[in-house]
Amino acid sequence: MRRLSRELGRSAMAPYWYVNDKRELLDLVTRKLLSEVKLPEPDSGPWEDRLREVVTGIDARLHDHPGIAAVMLERMQNTDRRLMNGIMEILLDAGFEGADVFLSYAMIHTYLFGRYQVVGVDTPDPAKGLPGDLEDTLQRLIPHLTKLRGRDFFNYGVDTIIAGLQAQLAAKKRPRRRR
Amino acid sequence: MRRLSRELGRSAMAPYWYVNDKRELLDLVTRKLLSEVKLPEPDSGPWEDRLREVVTGIDARLHDHPGIAAVMLERMQNTDRRLMNGIMEILLDAGFEGADVFLSYAMIHTYLFGRYQVVGVDTPDPAKGLPGDLEDTLQRLIPHLTKLRGRDFFNYGVDTIIAGLQAQLAAKKRPRRRR
DNA sequence: ACCTGAACACCGTTCAAGT
DNA sequence: ACCTGAACACCGTTCAAGT
């Protein structure tokens, strides 16, 4: 709040005329950001593609303003109602019902916004003692890590979630195991 | 730091004799917590069950100390090497190779620790204006939400991730689409 | 209507000093 | 070896007041 005021050339208390507290300001920021994300038309394709489209749209906004993802992660309901409804409608179209819609939404939400909180694995400094036991799997795999970009993590995560949701739907239709 | 010192009956600067800064202290706390999580024996069952076991073990520790999850979410490498290696070995056993091990691990990590940052959807106050448009899907589904517990979200999330990972493996074995 | 100033109760951390 | 005290540069926020 103080830094904001400073950058705007106002006193520390100026923002408090517009807003009750910091949380309220951040809520307005998240809403503004998410309002620019488009929802695909309900008949524009299979649910998997539509889900991927919204989620990619959200991710693009977060890419420009990664700091705000923490706020969105924290409070689910703070997410734009329009987007939350849009995603839930896609999930209903997919065949989810009742509580499963929430469970699926929560999973997507957690991954989508949680992603931005994670900072990558640094390659461990080999000069810094205990450079690697023989059984250090991480050590062995490090070369592969350096090739990966943020986009790869995102695509893989979304692919895996969609595939997982498809499996949940399939399990519901022909339940081999008991609930 | 100040509150810690206060609770220990020491001056504000006392912790700084043991630790360089706050981050370092929190790293020690996470390591201590995760060191108590058991890794299943490599031949104790199918990879899905072993993965579920570790992840459930981690979640149990987080349940007792939810605040620390934010620290673990943030810095992947700060996660106990033992656990990270353990999970990656399970993924190797499952059939993942190279970069896919990292991509899969990152997904699990993000979900597992991100979960604790999310606070639930409050049921919206109907007295507080705009109680619900007709097309408010969220509103319609609220009754189902109230039945859900934290454990339900966790189980559903883990099930979905495991099913998703299985699908990724299957897609790798018989690649119908191109990479 | 829009903003300021002083004050309060906090933070993490540096640095020199004490026993 | 282990800790203290004073100080610095920050926070978010309350409250009364100014134009």
Side-chain angles (χ1 to χ4, degrees), chain B residues 1-176:
Chain B
M1 303 302 275
R2 290 184 109 105
R3 196 183 145 199
L4 170 69
S5 315
R6 213 187 312 136
E7 289 189 17
L8 294 175
R10 292 287 175 282
S11 82
M13 285 310 296
Y16 288 92
W17 190 83
Y18 301 90
V19 114
N20 279 315
D21 54 19
K22 190 183 174 183
R23 197 189 54 75
E24 207 173 299
L25 208 175
L26 289 174
D27 282 3
L28 290 172
V29 176
T30 65
R31 243 155 246 189
K32 171 69 179 166
L33 262 175
L34 291 181
S35 72
E36 292 162 16
V37 176
K38 270 189 293 184
L39 273 172
E41 291 298 316
D43 53 357
S44 67
W47 70 268
E48 291 92 337
D49 294 354
R50 281 182 287 145
L51 181 58
R52 196 186 306 269
E53 195 182 327
V54 206
V55 149
T56 306
I58 295 173
D59 191 68
R61 307 302 292 125
L62 293 177
H63 198 265
D64 299 340
H65 311 275
I68 206 68
V71 182
M72 297 177 176
L73 176 62
E74 237 181 277
R75 295 190 300 291
M76 246 195 205
Q77 78 175 96
N78 181 49
T79 312
D80 201 307
R81 271 295 173 83
R82 186 183 61 92
L83 280 180
M84 204 162 161
N85 274 327
I87 292 173
M88 285 183 172
E89 261 151 34
I90 293 171
L91 293 170
L92 284 166
D93 269 14
F96 289 102
E97 288 167 2
D100 285 354
V101 179
F102 272 113
L103 292 168
S104 302
Y105 176 81
M107 225 216 132
I108 295 164
H109 182 102
T110 304
Y111 180 74
L112 190 58
F113 299 110
R115 236 170 75 68
Y116 280 87
Q117 295 307 106
V118 181
V119 324
V121 181
D122 296 345
T123 61
D125 188 354
K128 208 188 128 203
L130 286 190
D133 357 353
L134 289 177
E135 57 228 340
D136 197 334
T137 309
L138 177 57
Q139 194 81 4
R140 256 171 42 226
L141 291 168
I142 285 280
H144 297 283
L145 178 62
T146 58
K147 293 174 209 150
L148 294 174
R149 301 277 159 267
R151 188 167 292 268
D152 298 320
F153 286 98
F154 177 75
N155 287 331
Y156 189 86
V158 174
D159 284 351
T160 307
I161 288 176
I162 288 177
L165 292 177
Q166 285 171 330
Q168 294 278 18
L169 283 172
K172 250 183 42 173
K173 279 187 188 167
R174 36 168 184 68
R176 292 182 190 172

